[in-house]
Amino acid sequence: MKSVDTSLHHYFFPNINEDGWKFISLLAFLSLILAIIWFPAACFSFLITVWCFYSFRDPVRVTPVLSSAVIAPADGCIIAITREKGPDVLGLNKKNYTKISIYINPFAVNINRIPVKGTISKIFYDAGKTISGSFNKNDINNEKMLFALRHSSGTEFVLQQTSLFCSRRIVDKFKKGDEFMAGQRFGFIRFGSYLDLYLPEKIEPQVCVGQYLIGGETIVADIKSDAPRLEGEIR
């Protein structure tokens, strides 16, 4: 395995997703213009530029090489774990799932990753409204992307990306039939949002509500394990 870069340069100047440079450049140019017009506004704009720079960071992650491991698809805090039917829009409403809901805050890494090795079998996209007027991820007006990932065992995992308030923030680079390895990047949601991971029935999560996940690294479940659902407590 390649060595991990622990230098200060790695932290202050991380890898940036190519989609982010247009936003960073625009904000940097605006900061320059404001510096000529009104310096206090330029300082505020500069802080926004720095935030934008770090929100598009794309760090290298070390993914556990274990065929049965289900890897965290995003950096974020688990806000809920519930038993639900699969999404109706993907034709999975007759199957039982355990849904892990992850909140990706605006300061977190926004890159999303594949949880298990598999093939994209079903896709559904709802553009929502350009301005939904809601921060509720269950609002039907929010932009959503759902897709099923067929594992070699035949089971289908589901991922749902949900944009909050504004639309046109989900950026994905895949199509039906594409194959992925666990931990691979498949897209991102600009400036934070929610991501739901649906685990097929009988696969119990080995993470708990309140836990912070590292996308591409944290193991959230084991396909072959018969361990019960993990419980946690604040200490």
Side-chain angles (χ1 to χ4, degrees):
M1 186 181 76
K2 295 181 179 179
S3 61
V4 178
D5 184 1
T6 58
S7 66
L8 289 177
H9 182 276
H10 169 73
Y11 293 100
F12 286 107
F13 300 99
N15 294 327
I16 300 298
N17 184 277
E18 60 181 12
D19 186 77
W21 286 114
K22 57 187 177 183
F23 295 95
I24 297 167
S25 300
L26 180 62
L27 286 170
F29 179 72
L30 177 61
S31 298
L32 182 62
I33 297 299
L34 288 174
I36 299 172
I37 301 173
W38 190 37
F39 188 73
C43 293
F44 179 75
S45 180
F46 175 75
L47 291 176
I48 297 297
T49 304
V50 172
W51 165 70
C52 183
F53 177 83
Y54 279 99
S55 71
F56 280 102
R57 63 192 185 278
D58 186 1
V60 172
R61 293 288 164 80
V62 180
T63 301
V65 182
L66 183 64
S67 61
S68 61
V70 181
I71 308 298
D75 287 36
C77 181
I78 298 175
I79 58 171
I81 298 178
T82 57
R83 306 286 190 185
E84 296 188 11
K85 294 292 184 181
D88 183 56
V89 293
L90 295 179
L92 298 173
N93 56 313
K94 294 183 179 179
K95 295 184 178 181
N96 296 317
Y97 285 87
T98 298
K99 185 173 76 171
I100 301 175
S101 297
I102 305 167
Y103 171 61
I104 308 169
N105 73 66
F107 299 96
V109 172
N110 292 306
I111 300 295
N112 296 160
R113 296 172 181 265
I114 294 292
V116 294
K117 180 181 179 181
T119 304
I120 305 293
S121 56
K122 300 171 184 175
I123 298 174
F124 174 81
Y125 176 70
D126 180 2
K129 291 185 177 179
T130 303
I131 301 294
S132 69
S134 173
F135 285 96
N136 179 4
K137 78 185 185 75
N138 295 315
D139 193 313
I140 59 173
N141 293 322
N142 291 123
E143 180 186 22
K144 291 182 176 67
M145 168 64 86
L146 296 91
F147 66 91
L149 185 68
R150 184 178 294 276
H151 185 257
S152 58
S153 62
T155 58
E156 286 184 306
F157 293 77
V158 176
L159 284 172
Q160 175 177 319
Q161 298 168 295
T162 306
S163 174
L164 298 186
F165 189 69
C166 294
S167 188
R168 309 298 185 266
R169 286 169 52 191
I170 297 175
V171 180
D172 290 328
K173 297 180 180 180
F174 62 79
K175 60 183 182 300
K176 186 176 179 180
D178 284 352
E179 297 182 358
F180 286 93
M181 298 288 290
Q184 271 191 286
R185 303 166 180 81
F186 71 85
F188 59 94
I189 313 173
R190 298 188 187 111
F191 312 121
S193 279
Y194 289 94
L195 192 148
D196 297 320
L197 169 61
Y198 289 74
L199 299 177
E201 190 176 21
K202 297 182 180 180
I203 298 178
E204 294 292 348
Q206 297 305 297
V207 289
C208 48
V209 174
Q211 186 173 343
Y212 193 88
L213 306 180
I214 303 298
E217 293 192 355
T218 306
I219 296 177
V220 300
D222 190 322
I223 297 172
K224 297 180 180 179
S225 174
D226 57 359
R229 174 176 165 177
L230 185 70
E231 299 294 338
E233 62 181 35
I234 297 174
R235 294 180 180 172

